Amino acid sequence: MMGPRQEAQPALFYEFSLEDHVPQNHLLRSIDRFVDLSGIRTYLADFYSHTGRPSVDPELLIRMLLVGYCFGIRSERRLCEEVHLNLAYRWFCRLDLSDRVPDHSTFSKSRHGRFRDSELLRHLFETTVARCIEEGLVSGQRMAIDASLIEADANKQNSTPKEEWDPAQVDPDDAPRAVREYLATLDEAAFGAASEVQPKFTSHSDPASQWTAARKGPAFFSYSDNYLIDTDHGVIVDVEATRSNRQAEVGSTKTMLGRVKARFDLHPERLIADAAYGTAPMLGWLVDRKIAPHIPVLDKSGRSDGTWTRADFEWDAANDQYLCPEGHELKQFRRNYSDPNRGPTGKGTARYRALKEVCQACPSKAKCCPNADARKITREEHEDARQVARDIAKTEQYVISMKLRKKVEMLFAHLKRILGLNRLRLRGPCGANDEFLLAATAQNLRKMAKLLPAPQQPRKA
């Protein structure tokens, strides 16, 4: 039997509760338990005027941004439409059915003003990390670091070759916001001062972004999203935006480790990373701070002609010399210098040489230095730290660490596939930093919601 036609019947009064219409197993119910914005108004009090027209509640704006990044809603205009229509989003944002959703332009004004001046998004992210620590999801013993390329909002058609680009000719007063931010970061280690090598092209709309072909495909402008995670449950403990080159990415490691030490008193016993972080200065910095480097050593001392490599020579630290497989000595200095500036300095790259007459008479010269009169070996300043990393690489713990490192890559895959952060919407270093902080905050909230779900309540009859 066909039922009656369904028609909307107007009524004068409705009894409606958002609480009753949001499912108990909805993701936002679990996330809401870990979002504490009670102190946000006090945090921003100094950045608001005491007179004038009342502003939109900053807590409402933050909750809407969290909804957008948790559910991959990249457009703020679309976010406003979704919050207007979706009952669960309204419930999370503390909006009643009759409450008006803020205009999308409000986000830009707040983000470029009070939010950025007060570093509110960094404060929000660190508050989330503190909650993860409180819930026992972070031990701080083992950490991993990695970087991922995120395409910038720029293209080659609106760019200039490096031969024609001169920052000194840019007038900051007439430049867009992203260009002014670029000029302000020319001396920062994460951007302009990361490398002396200039990129092949510089974007007019976002000159701080890096022209790169690191993905072995067509080149594009990008930023690097750097994550420092605790490997216990894959919680992101710090995030940093840098230019997309190895020097900037490796340098961000020191920044993030120092920040988590100062903010949360976290000092890992080991750091896990790939070979890009296995440079001698980086390994030396970690060993000096009692952090075990579970990192492949970036070593270019190997030879392709089959002759003996540096690994075939034995290091004699007591006598500051190498011993070749035949037992001959390779020394850096063979006499005492009256001038200490001419002797061993302990810094930079040291060169160890065998005696010419010894090598010429050696029966293994063809295996050692067939095209040279005597064998020479270089030893870097942080070679001891490199050897520490090589010794760690022979342990079972290192094998486990290499498996744990994949947790960082899984977070980047989640960032791009689930949260949809394949390309930035905001320009400039500050825009990239804002997006990375919000995305990392959303990932941590989703992590807590998954590991610590909200208790299910029986539905009302």
Side-chain angles (χ1 to χ4, degrees):
M1 177 179 176
M2 183 180 294
R5 183 185 300 274
Q6 184 70 34
E7 295 183 0
Q9 298 293 331
L12 294 177
F13 303 101
Y14 286 97
E15 182 180 352
F16 188 88
S17 173
L18 279 175
E19 181 70 27
D20 296 337
H21 285 77
V22 178
Q24 292 295 323
N25 60 351
H26 197 283
L27 177 62
L28 286 178
R29 280 196 179 274
S30 295
I31 289 178
D32 186 63
R33 298 164 54 235
F34 306 106
V35 178
D36 182 11
L37 303 178
S38 57
I40 191 174
R41 299 181 69 86
T42 303
Y43 185 84
L44 292 172
D46 295 337
F47 296 89
Y48 281 87
S49 174
H50 298 289
T51 60
R53 182 180 177 183
S55 68
V56 177
D57 185 2
E59 180 177 346
L60 170 59
L61 296 179
I62 292 299
R63 284 184 174 274
M64 290 181 64
L65 285 173
L66 289 177
V67 168
Y69 278 84
C70 284
F71 291 93
I73 305 174
R74 306 284 296 120
S75 167
E76 290 166 359
R77 190 185 296 268
R78 181 178 162 229
L79 174 62
C80 293
E81 296 174 355
E82 293 291 338
V83 173
H84 176 71
L85 296 172
N86 192 300
L87 295 180
Y89 295 171
R90 277 185 173 271
W91 173 86
F92 181 79
C93 295
R94 306 297 190 262
L95 291 173
D96 203 353
L97 287 178
S98 59
D99 290 334
R100 182 180 178 184
V101 177
D103 188 78
H104 65 89
S105 61
T106 308
F107 291 96
S108 298
K109 294 178 182 178
S110 298
R111 181 175 57 245
H112 294 312
R114 303 178 185 93
F115 289 3
R116 194 162 289 174
D117 295 338
S118 64
E119 295 188 348
L120 175 63
L121 300 182
R122 168 67 62 178
H123 172 74
L124 176 66
F125 168 74
E126 291 181 346
T127 302
T128 307
V129 176
R131 184 60 184 271
C132 292
I133 297 174
E134 180 184 341
E135 297 291 342
L137 302 180
V138 176
S139 67
Q141 296 180 352
R142 299 178 298 189
M143 292 187 183
I145 191 168
D146 204 354
S148 182
L149 300 182
I150 306 295
E151 188 175 354
D153 186 22
N155 56 68
K156 185 180 178 182
Q157 285 69 28
N158 188 24
S159 65
T160 296
K162 62 180 180 180
E163 297 83 7
E164 304 174 12
W165 177 259
D166 184 7
Q169 297 180 355
V170 180
D171 185 4
D173 296 332
D174 296 334
R177 180 183 292 105
V179 178
R180 294 197 301 270
E181 292 177 6
Y182 158 75
L183 295 174
T185 57
L186 288 177
D187 296 328
E188 292 188 9
F191 291 96
S195 173
E196 296 180 356
V197 179
Q198 296 299 318
K200 188 175 182 180
F201 294 97
T202 300
S203 170
H204 296 165
S205 58
D206 194 355
S209 60
Q210 177 81 31
W211 177 258
T212 178
R215 291 179 180 170
K216 309 300 181 183
F220 58 98
F221 289 104
S222 72
Y223 284 93
S224 283
D225 188 5
N226 299 270
Y227 275 2
L228 177 66
I229 74 163
D230 184 271
T231 59
D232 287 357
H233 295 91
V235 173
I236 306 168
V237 295
D238 206 356
V239 57
E240 183 80 1
T242 65
R243 220 168 186 183
S244 296
N245 57 50
R246 192 178 67 183
Q247 294 88 340
E249 294 170 359
V250 173
S252 69
T253 307
K254 303 177 182 179
T255 302
M256 290 190 285
L257 286 174
R259 194 155 48 204
V260 297
K261 173 64 176 177
R263 180 66 179 85
F264 308 110
D265 195 25
L266 296 177
H267 187 75
E269 65 178 24
R270 74 177 68 168
L271 183 71
I272 307 169
D274 58 25
Y277 297 83
T279 61
M282 185 72 249
L283 296 175
W285 188 88
L286 291 172
V287 172
D288 289 344
R289 284 155 182 79
K290 310 301 181 183
I291 302 175
H294 286 236
I295 305 172
V297 178
L298 191 62
D299 195 350
K300 298 182 179 179
S301 63
R303 292 189 169 191
S304 58
D305 57 359
T307 57
W308 288 338
T309 66
R310 183 170 56 189
D312 296 316
F313 290 72
E314 180 183 353
W315 169 243
D316 182 5
N319 297 311
D320 187 27
Q321 65 182 9
Y322 277 99
L323 296 176
C324 77
E326 293 288 347
H328 303 307
E329 299 174 347
L330 285 79
K331 291 182 174 290
Q332 183 181 8
F333 301 100
R334 295 185 179 274
R335 63 185 177 91
N336 296 326
Y337 288 92
S338 58
D339 183 0
N341 293 327
R342 297 184 61 192
T345 61
K347 297 181 179 180
T349 301
R351 210 177 270 272
Y352 293 80
R353 302 174 178 84
L355 293 174
K356 179 179 178 180
E357 55 269 24
V358 172
C359 285
Q360 292 294 333
C362 181
S364 301
K365 185 176 185 303
K367 298 179 181 180
C368 182
C369 52
N371 300 321
D373 294 334
R375 181 60 188 264
K376 301 176 183 178
I377 292 180
T378 58
R379 182 179 178 85
E380 297 188 14
E381 176 185 357
H382 302 285
E383 188 62 32
D384 291 338
R386 285 158 59 95
Q387 188 58 44
V388 170
R390 292 190 188 100
D391 294 339
I392 292 175
K394 301 175 184 177
T395 64
E396 294 182 3
Q397 291 297 322
Y398 179 83
V399 178
I400 297 174
S401 295
M402 291 300 102
K403 295 179 180 179
L404 293 175
R405 190 181 66 83
K406 297 179 181 179
K407 290 189 176 184
V408 195
E409 300 173 356
M410 292 170 63
L411 282 169
F412 285 132
H414 180 270
L415 175 73
K416 296 178 180 181
R417 288 193 163 194
I418 307 302
L419 303 190
L421 191 60
N422 291 300
R423 180 185 173 96
L424 295 173
R425 289 186 58 255
L426 307 181
R427 292 174 177 172
C430 292
N433 190 59
D434 289 352
E435 291 217 60
F436 294 161
L437 282 170
L438 279 169
T441 302
Q443 287 183 289
N444 281 345
L445 288 173
R446 290 176 63 114
K447 178 74 67 175
M448 283 190 287
K450 177 183 178 181
L451 298 177
L452 306 167
Q456 298 296 311
Q457 300 179 0
R459 295 181 61 88
K460 297 180 181 180

